[in-house]
């Protein structure tokens, strides 16, 4: 434990003395550097966590934890299979779906779209769609009527809005002596939604299951069965008993297989970002090291006098280790506050930088999400603070040892 007089001397050494302005400047730069490093790590890691969590929630909210895809895009006689899947331990829900890539046309504008057919009840229970309706209402989605809901960015691309009629074009049309003619049917937009993932908002067209079956001429068949489980991370062992039962009709594709490249890239990016930003803190601790070395050189006479008055080598080490650790601790505290402030006002900062530079900082077509997300992990924050504090402490050992090794006889002999 550090004694009272050691605390007093450490406090005195933290303040600049006569002719020690440069040392104080270096120590201040060290404190600011530690603060910036900690703030950057907390903010960036929170954004990375938020990015993954938002993508995970929204993608799985639309596509489930796994799907059973029928061969050739069709699952005839799917009801018994769905019932068997629902009985599997660990499976919490099943949803029949139809998905088909098509073309949409409105006033000479054409866009590629992904048609999704769902029962009306399932559409209203899918929160990422039902809770994010921007215009119109899902009440207009009634079986037997040519009504659809589309993504907000698809509506912007087509220049269409609620009430307009959009033509959906299916390449599987009627066969004539001159070839196959595409099937073109007009559908009225009753709602637009924005789930927050650019690719989905720019492509999704949702309609009742019965309407999709009629339009695509599927009869009573569906395209796939979406599966939800109690633990997405254990999706493979949960669905393992179904593989042989599903094999004659289709294949099981898990969320990990559907989005493997995306989530693996996020993991790699997260690890690399952490270590790269950690270098900032490491450099800052070298600044603490250099400032303490200069302080020891400047305080050589003081150290010699303290030693002749009875101060031990251990006491001198504790004094200078306390000084360096306090500098690092203050920087860590400031950086933690700054990091949480950056997280809280991240969207305002992006908008401000965009206005100043005239550039689009957050492009949803590249970033998938329409807004910058953030999710702070308390354990991760504690780890960052602990790492920074440990590095600051290690940086004090050598200067403190040099101070403790000062020989008062050699220093005071020529005074």
């Amino acid at each position: 434990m550090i004694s009272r007089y050691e605390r007093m001397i450490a406090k005195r050494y933290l303040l600049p003395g006569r002719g020690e302005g440069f040392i104080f400047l270096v120590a201040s730069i060290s404190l600011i550097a530690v603060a910036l490093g900690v703030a950057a790590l907390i903010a960036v890691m929170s954004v990375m966590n938020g990015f993954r969590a938002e993508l995970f929630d929204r993608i799985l909210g639309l596509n489930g934890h796994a799907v059973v895809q029928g061969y050739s895009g069709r699952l005839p006689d799917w009801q018994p299979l769905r019932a068997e899947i629902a009985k599997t331990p660990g499976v919490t829900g099943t949803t029949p779906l139809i998905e088909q890539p098509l073309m949409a046309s409105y006033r000479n504008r054409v866009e590629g779209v992904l048609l999704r057919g769902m029962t009306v009840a399932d559409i209203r229970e899918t929160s990422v769609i039902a809770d994010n309706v921007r215009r119109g209402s899902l009440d207009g989605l009634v079986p037997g009527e040519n009504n659809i809901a589309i993504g907000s960015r698809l509506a912007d691309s087509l220049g269409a809005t609620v009430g307009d009629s959009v033509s959906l074009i299916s390449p599987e049309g009627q066969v004539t002596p001159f070839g196959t003619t595409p099937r073109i049917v007009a559908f009225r937009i009753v709602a637009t939604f924005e789930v927050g993932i650019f690719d989905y908002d720019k492509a999704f067209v949702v309609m009742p299951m019965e309407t999709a079956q009629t339009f695509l001429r599927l009869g009573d068949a569906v395209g796939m069965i979406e599966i939800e489980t109690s633990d997405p991370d254990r999706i493979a062992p949960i669905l393992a008993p179904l593989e042989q039962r599903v094999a004659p009709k289709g294949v099981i594709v898990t969320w990990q297989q559907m989005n493997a490249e995306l989530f693996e890239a996020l993991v790699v990016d997260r690890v690399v970002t952490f270590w790269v930003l950690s270098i900032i803190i490491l450099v800052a601790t070298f600044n603490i090291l250099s400032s303490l070395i200069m302080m020891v050189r400047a305080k050589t006479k003081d150290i010699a006098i303290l030693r002749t008055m009875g101060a031990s080598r251990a006491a001198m080490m504790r004094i200078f280790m306390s000084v360096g650790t306090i500098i690092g601790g203050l920087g860590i505290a400031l950086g933690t506050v700054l990091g949480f402030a950056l997280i809280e006002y991240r969207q305002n900062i992006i908008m401000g930088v965009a206005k100043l530079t005239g550039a689009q900082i957050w492009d949803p077509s590249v970033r998938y999400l329409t807004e910058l997300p953030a999710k702070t992990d308390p354990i991760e924050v504690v780890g960052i603070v602990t790492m920074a504090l440990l590095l600051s402490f290690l940086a004090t050992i050598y200067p403190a040892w040099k101070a403790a090794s000062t020989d008062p006889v050699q220093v005071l002999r020529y005074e």
Side-chain angles (χ1 to χ4, degrees), residues 163-186:
D164 293 334
S165 292
V166 174
S167 296
L168 295 184
I169 306 169
S170 173
E172 297 182 1
Q174 293 181 340
V175 179
T176 69
F178 302 99
T180 302
T181 59
R183 180 174 173 79
I184 304 175
V185 178

Side-chain angles (χ1 to χ4, degrees), residues 224 232 268 325 372 385 389:
M224 63 184 69
V268 173
T325 304
L372 179 65
V385 170
L389 198 58

